[in-house]
Amino acid sequence: MSAPTRFFGPFRPNRPVRRYPGPNRPMRYPTPSGPTRYIPTAGLLTPQEEATQRRRAVDSRPRLPGGPAPGRLGFLSDPFLGPGLAVAALILWVIGLHPVPPSAIGGIGLIGELSVPTLLAYPVLIAAVVLELLRYAPRTWVMSAYTLVGVFFVYGLQPAVEEVARLPVSWLHSGFAEYIAGHGEVLEGFDARFSWAGFFSLIAMITKAAGIPNALSLLNWAPVVFAGLMVLGTRALAVSALGNRRASWIAPWIFLAGNWTEQDYFSPQATAMVMMLAALTLTFRHLVRPRLTEPVKARLRVRLAPRSSPKARLVAQGSVVLIGLGLAPTHQLTPFMLGLFLLLLLVFGRLWPAWLPFIVIGAAVVWFSLGAEDFWSGQLIQMILSPLGDVGSSVDQGLFSRLSGSPGHLIVLLVRIATSGFVAGLAALGIVFLRRDNLRSWMLPVLCAAPFGIAVVQSYGGEVFMRCFLYALPLMSLPAAIALERAITSARRLRWRNHPRRTLVAAAIPWLVLSLLTGSTVLGRGGNDAYTSVSRTDIDAMSWAVGQARPGERVDSLVNAIPLNYERVGEVEQSEVDMYCADLVHVPVLVDCLRGKGPDYLVLSGPQWAYVDILNGAADDYPQQLLRGLAETQLYRTVFDQDGALVLARGSAAVKNPQPDEGVAQ
């Protein structure tokens, strides 16, 4: 006999046969008395008799008690329905887009100017996502495509409808990079961000190698790139922490739908956030055991070796160290935040290399002490040690002092707070579910709450809670995804055929949650667009003023609602009037302040009027009052006027430019 194959064993004729003890009785099968659903021989019946037999076969199937006929909602399980909905959502989103000038945006932000088809595209896309998650095995390529489309829907909305890149601070970062590319060094004593010039140096190297003069062409779609990388990092983090399950697809969607902070523009913090997510993913995948959701006791003294190979652990440790070294000269807070996460993992006995958090924190401390000396020299006590423990000041600057402005702006602020609280509540619900599954560790809730400790150390210019929520959102997405996964699991167990109505209700829970989060994020991200989006004419006015100014002269805007310092950085001083004039609302007081401290060129534009109107409650005729007051002093005269963008020149600058340029209306 030949050797056994992989499917059959060798034949053994002498093998004893084991029978079930007891008498061997023949089995008798009952003869079917009613109509059968099977036709033994095809083609022997007439077409009418064959149709009758088939009808009886279908009618003979038992119906579910108290439920609708089978298959009434069975079309929802069709594998092509979800992709069809996604394509329909994409068509709705595209055909509903239209240019939105800054002058058309009110206090409630961009959402007030969006068309109905564009707004309908979001829940339709999320319905496709939920239907795919209800499948027996969600298709990876389909979920990846849905997520990519969702990134463009949420983060590509402003670049698609606005004329030029928004957020004046992103233009400022382009100017910093251009200065480094042109001079080969940072400008000392100019701005605190030059003390952490890693991002600007990288952009300077890229632009110089590409042969382009500056990074302005990268500004408009930078949020889509950075936010897409953050969503991808959250997906990788969820797979590393939770495993390859449905929750690891829901987590990136919670981040995508809940990230209203708008910290993904062309900035060092966006780059640092992507790097931190990469470091955490490597840590959770190769350097942590047990996982965050495993009900296994872990101790600091007796740590378990990770399940990955020694080579993978070595590569992960080296990569995290390199990321920590790269974060140190890039951003002020992110390297300390990464070090805090690693330190908490070590304290709870999950992190295998005990030295790793100290390397990351040590690199940040060394750079702060040596590389950022220009920042803290002479003001260490005032800026670092004074706010320590002053939580009330952080709460006032980061929360209560911001609750002001027009009714529409207050609605935007309340929606942002409600979105943050809702995500935190959803994460708390997921932690409760995990604890019911015998997960008694406090590791995950501590990691979610750790970023809010920044408020104890530093108010960070009033943006402290925004940064705290951004750092905590990827981690809060993990238990929040567990909570929504319970609803998905309940819907899958009920099945469309057995309990269609109950299945529909269970599936509607994640759809409703993600739809509400997406709508609130679209509202929150575009809530400031009345004064953070600019037109091409506004850019032309600022460029004209900066180009006309002599070295050492000053070009100011009324408020920070127009790009500054993206040209001639360090050569022409560029600032805002509200930095040295406290009262902007009362025109006589402002005119007196400008008479004594005013710049050589004053740039005024529509977004600045919207800023003063929405946030300071200025009168409707405020622009006319200010221009009339400045004209009466005969100190300033108009040298540039085009589509509402004005440049006023003072004294010798006005004599230098007695007439506006050709093609510019007076």
Side-chain angles (χ1 to χ4, degrees):
M1 192 67 183
S2 60
T5 64
R6 64 178 290 189
F7 298 107
F8 302 99
F11 178 73
R12 298 179 182 178
N14 298 327
R15 181 178 179 181
V17 178
R18 295 184 179 181
R19 299 182 182 275
Y20 186 80
N24 294 329
R25 298 176 180 175
M27 296 294 296
R28 297 184 182 275
Y29 298 93
T31 303
S33 58
T36 178
R37 60 177 299 181
Y38 302 103
I39 301 177
T41 306
L44 300 181
L45 301 176
T46 63
Q48 184 176 1
E49 293 175 342
E50 186 175 355
T52 304
Q53 292 291 338
R54 289 180 180 176
R55 191 183 308 113
R56 289 178 180 177
V58 174
D59 294 343
S60 63
R61 290 181 297 181
R63 295 199 176 189
L64 297 176
R72 181 171 296 182
L73 293 178
F75 71 95
L76 294 176
S77 61
D78 190 286
F80 298 102
L81 178 60
L85 289 176
V87 172
L90 184 60
I91 294 174
L92 287 173
W93 191 77
V94 171
I95 65 175
L97 294 179
H98 59 90
V100 180
S103 58
I105 304 176
I108 201 170
L110 180 63
I111 196 171
E113 301 301 320
L114 297 180
S115 63
V116 174
T118 299
L119 293 176
L120 286 177
Y122 295 95
V124 173
L125 176 64
I126 294 172
V129 173
V130 174
L131 288 177
E132 187 65 28
L133 291 173
L134 288 173
R135 290 177 55 84
Y136 177 77
R139 295 163 290 186
T140 301
W141 68 273
V142 174
M143 287 299 301
S144 301
Y146 291 168
T147 307
L148 181 62
V149 174
V151 168
F152 273 91
F153 276 17
V154 176
Y155 304 105
L157 181 61
Q158 281 93 344
V161 301
E162 295 177 354
E163 188 175 355
V164 294
R166 53 200 297 275
L167 294 176
V169 66
S170 62
W171 294 71
L172 174 72
H173 294 162
S174 174
F176 287 175
E178 183 180 356
Y179 181 88
I180 294 177
H183 296 79
E185 60 182 0
V186 299
L187 183 59
E188 297 183 359
F190 180 77
D191 192 279
R193 281 163 284 203
F194 268 128
S195 297
W196 287 270
F199 170 77
F200 309 126
S201 302
L202 174 65
I203 298 302
M205 181 187 68
I206 293 175
T207 54
K208 202 165 186 178
I212 56 179
N214 49 51
L216 294 180
S217 58
L218 308 177
L219 302 186
N220 202 20
W221 292 96
V224 177
V225 176
F226 283 119
L229 292 175
M230 292 180 193
V231 172
L232 178 62
T234 305
R235 159 68 179 170
L237 182 66
V239 172
S240 301
L242 305 178
N244 195 7
R245 51 193 288 188
R246 286 173 175 80
S248 62
W249 276 116
I250 300 174
W253 268 92
I254 292 176
F255 182 91
L256 187 155
N259 181 22
W260 58 265
T261 58
E262 208 172 0
Q263 295 298 303
D264 41 47
Y265 59 94
F266 189 79
S267 62
Q269 58 263 31
T271 307
M273 185 68 183
V274 173
M275 296 170 65
M276 187 186 75
L277 287 175
L280 289 178
T281 298
L282 290 171
T283 302
F284 286 161
R285 185 173 182 83
H286 298 291
L287 304 177
V288 167
R289 185 181 177 190
R291 285 179 176 175
L292 300 183
T293 56
E294 290 180 354
V296 180
K297 291 184 178 180
R299 297 179 180 179
L300 177 60
R301 294 184 179 181
V302 187
R303 299 188 305 279
L304 301 175
R307 296 184 177 92
S308 56
S309 64
K311 180 180 178 180
R313 292 199 296 266
L314 183 62
V315 172
Q317 293 174 30
S319 301
V320 174
V321 169
L322 290 178
I323 291 174
L325 295 178
L327 283 175
T330 301
H331 196 238
Q332 302 95 316
L333 292 180
T334 309
F336 292 101
M337 199 70 253
L338 175 60
L340 177 60
F341 285 142
L342 297 177
L343 189 61
L344 289 174
L345 290 173
L346 176 63
V347 170
F348 279 86
R350 306 291 181 113
L351 184 64
W352 173 248
W355 50 268
L356 190 58
F358 301 101
I359 293 294
V360 174
I361 296 176
V365 171
V366 169
W367 180 265
F368 182 85
S369 303
L370 302 178
E373 183 180 0
D374 187 45
F375 166 72
W376 59 263
S377 179
Q379 54 182 358
L380 180 64
I381 302 296
Q382 179 182 359
M383 299 193 64
I384 305 299
L385 299 182
S386 295
L388 186 62
D390 191 3
V391 182
S393 176
S394 299
V395 173
D396 181 68
Q397 294 185 36
L399 188 60
F400 294 117
S401 63
R402 291 176 172 263
L403 292 176
S404 60
S406 65
H409 187 68
L410 286 176
I411 292 175
V412 173
L413 296 177
L414 293 177
V415 167
R416 292 173 179 173
I417 296 174
T419 303
S420 305
F422 183 78
V423 173
L426 195 62
L429 182 62
I431 292 173
V432 171
F433 288 153
L434 289 174
R435 294 186 66 83
R436 288 182 179 179
D437 295 338
N438 297 324
L439 181 64
R440 301 301 179 185
S441 175
W442 289 96
M443 178 77 258
L444 189 54
V446 169
L447 286 176
C448 294
F452 293 92
I454 300 176
V456 181
V457 179
Q458 180 61 255
S459 62
Y460 205 75
E463 297 182 355
V464 58
F465 289 107
M466 184 185 302
R467 301 296 174 87
C468 292
F469 179 73
L470 176 63
Y471 288 134
L473 184 56
L475 292 166
M476 289 195 299
S477 299
L478 304 181
I482 296 292
L484 292 185
E485 189 186 42
R486 291 297 181 97
I488 294 289
T489 304
S490 300
R492 293 189 64 251
R493 288 176 178 174
L494 292 171
R495 300 180 181 272
W496 297 112
R497 288 183 176 272
N498 299 342
H499 304 280
R501 294 180 182 176
R502 293 169 59 184
T503 305
L504 190 62
V505 171
I509 294 176
W511 174 81
L512 183 61
V513 168
L514 293 178
S515 298
L516 289 177
L517 280 178
T518 305
S520 62
T521 297
V522 171
L523 172 62
R525 289 179 65 88
N528 299 341
D529 279 18
Y531 51 87
T532 56
S533 61
V534 294
S535 63
R536 174 58 60 185
T537 305
D538 301 333
I539 301 299
D540 293 342
M542 178 56 67
S543 297
W544 187 89
V546 173
Q548 294 294 324
R550 298 188 181 96
E553 291 185 337
R554 197 164 88 244
V555 178
D556 289 358
S557 62
L558 192 62
V559 291
N560 185 20
I562 193 171
L564 296 170
N565 283 307
Y566 65 92
E567 293 178 334
R568 302 182 69 180
V569 178
E571 183 180 356
V572 176
E573 184 178 353
Q574 303 169 52
S575 182
E576 300 94 27
V577 173
D578 61 348
M579 298 291 293
Y580 49 84
C581 295
D583 191 353
L584 298 181
V585 178
H586 298 89
V587 173
V589 178
L590 178 59
V591 170
D592 291 340
C593 180
L594 290 174
R595 182 181 301 174
K597 305 177 182 179
D600 298 284
Y601 292 91
L602 178 62
V603 182
L604 302 174
S605 60
Q608 299 182 56
W609 306 131
Y611 183 100
V612 180
D613 179 29
I614 295 173
L615 298 183
N616 298 98
D620 295 337
D621 60 342
Y622 176 82
Q624 293 77 13
Q625 292 184 24
L626 179 59
L627 295 177
R628 190 183 310 114
L630 292 175
E632 291 175 354
T633 62
Q634 298 183 355
L635 187 62
Y636 284 93
R637 61 169 299 175
T638 303
V639 293
F640 183 99
D641 185 356
Q642 182 176 350
D643 296 335
L646 304 174
V647 178
L648 307 182
R650 174 187 179 121
S652 59
V655 175
K656 172 187 169 186
N657 301 282
Q659 298 294 332
D661 283 359
E662 184 179 356
V664 177
Q666 180 72 28

